[in-house]
Amino acid sequence: MLMLKAYAKINLGLKILSKDEVDGYHLVDMVTLPIELHDRIEIEVLPDNFDTIITCDDRSLPTDESNIVYKTLKVLNEKHPINKKLRIHIHKIIPVCAGLGGGSADAAAVLIGLNKLLKLKMSQEELCELGSKVGSDVPLCILNKPARVSSKGEKVEVIKTKKTHKVLLVKPSIGLSTREVYLKYDEEKEESLVNIDGVVEGLIKGDNQMVFDNMGNDLEKPAFSIAYETKNIKDLLKKNGFDNVLMTGSGSCVYAIIPKDKKTENIENKLKKMGYTVFVTKTLI
């Protein structure tokens, strides 16, 4: 049996540039950081008289053909026919529909794991190429590095960062559909104030203030109009002394960069009593 970690990510910046009217996808420019929060993936080769199965300890996550891991297996099988029966178990910790990239992380871990387990000898570049056929964020999760991601998500440029950050993650009970949030954005779109160049420069220099001054997410406002509870979380964090608070991805999770030496136990307990899912984690470099 092979066990792997599938790491979540947060967005320090998400800027929408335009929309491809042919396929409906939005062109974006964004900065993502992997974080320690992760799912655990177990891959086991079964005897030939078994069928390949996917299991998960989170009952809200379907394990039928709609699960991204099935799509991953299909894409991999087209390039490297899999002659083994497998059991793939997802120990789900990353909240779903949160903007944390959990599904993409699971898909990336499965590709990496099967490449090792089945001795397919694919390079990282080949893995990323396959991953892009599964989902736009999968190559990013395969690399698992701070990165600038552009176009429709297929262009990934690794950023050499100098600092890590402790992060408080808060997710309301409601999840958000990426498609629904983008549709709302198209209805209400406004001029972006997000400066991705500034975020990247700040990360490279290790200048936290430059990062904080330029970070932002163009999807916050449309997401807040769909799920007002998400805005409430952001407002509550700011009232409790967190200056750098942002929704990640298309939501509904909101995170706060934890200032050095700031205690979080009280706000964690308060948020949990309000019914929110709360994690304290840190970014990876």
Side-chain angles (χ1 to χ4, degrees), residues 93-106:
I93 300 172
I94 304 170
V96 298
C97 297
L100 292 167
S104 296
D106 294 345

Side-chain angles (χ1 to χ4, degrees), residues 148-181:
R148 183 174 191 165
V149 183
S150 57
S151 190
K152 297 174 186 177
E154 76 278 8
K155 295 181 180 179
V156 181
E157 178 186 353
V158 172
I159 302 170
K160 292 185 178 180
T161 59
K162 294 185 176 181
K163 295 182 178 180
T164 60
H165 302 278
K166 283 186 68 177
V167 180
L168 176 65
L169 301 173
V170 187
K171 182 190 176 294
S173 56
I174 187 173
L176 282 170
S177 158
T178 299
R179 181 177 180 275
E180 187 178 357
V181 173

Side-chain angles (χ1 to χ4, degrees), residues 14-158:
L14 194 161
K15 184 183 184 78
I16 299 175
L17 304 177
S18 62
K19 181 179 180 180
D20 188 327
E21 297 300 337
V22 176
D23 60 19
Y25 282 93
H26 291 76
L27 303 180
V28 299
D29 194 5
M30 58 187 182
V31 175
T32 67
L33 299 181
I35 56 177
E36 281 194 343
L37 181 70
H38 60 271
D39 292 342
R40 293 200 301 272
I41 307 295
E42 300 173 7
I43 307 176
E44 179 183 9
V45 176
L46 300 175
D48 289 341
N49 58 326
F50 281 73
D51 290 325
T52 292
I53 58 169
I54 296 172
T55 59
C56 181
D57 50 19
D58 183 344
R59 293 185 179 181
S60 70
L61 190 70
T63 54
D64 57 15
E65 292 183 4
S66 64
N67 190 293
I68 194 171
V69 171
Y70 263 107
K71 185 176 180 181
T72 304
L73 292 175
K74 183 179 178 181
V75 166
L76 179 60
N77 196 57
E78 289 171 355
K79 184 174 179 65
H80 293 283
I82 302 171
N83 298 317
K84 302 287 186 181
K85 304 301 181 183
L86 305 167
R87 180 186 74 88
I88 300 176
H89 178 71
I90 305 166
H91 177 53
K92 197 69 185 163
I93 300 172
I94 304 170
V96 298
C97 297
L100 292 167
S104 296
D106 294 345
V110 168
L111 281 174
I112 292 169
L114 290 177
N115 188 44
K116 181 177 181 179
L117 190 65
L118 303 179
K119 298 180 173 58
L120 301 178
K121 298 181 180 179
M122 287 188 288
S123 66
Q124 189 176 72
E125 184 179 355
E126 289 175 300
L127 286 169
C128 288
E129 184 180 346
L130 274 183
S132 67
K133 297 178 181 179
V134 178
S136 59
D137 284 344
V138 177
L140 173 69
C141 294
I142 289 171
L143 296 173
N144 198 43
K145 296 285 186 181
R148 183 174 191 165
V149 183
S150 57
S151 190
K152 297 174 186 177
E154 76 278 8
K155 295 181 180 179
V156 181
E157 178 186 353
V158 172

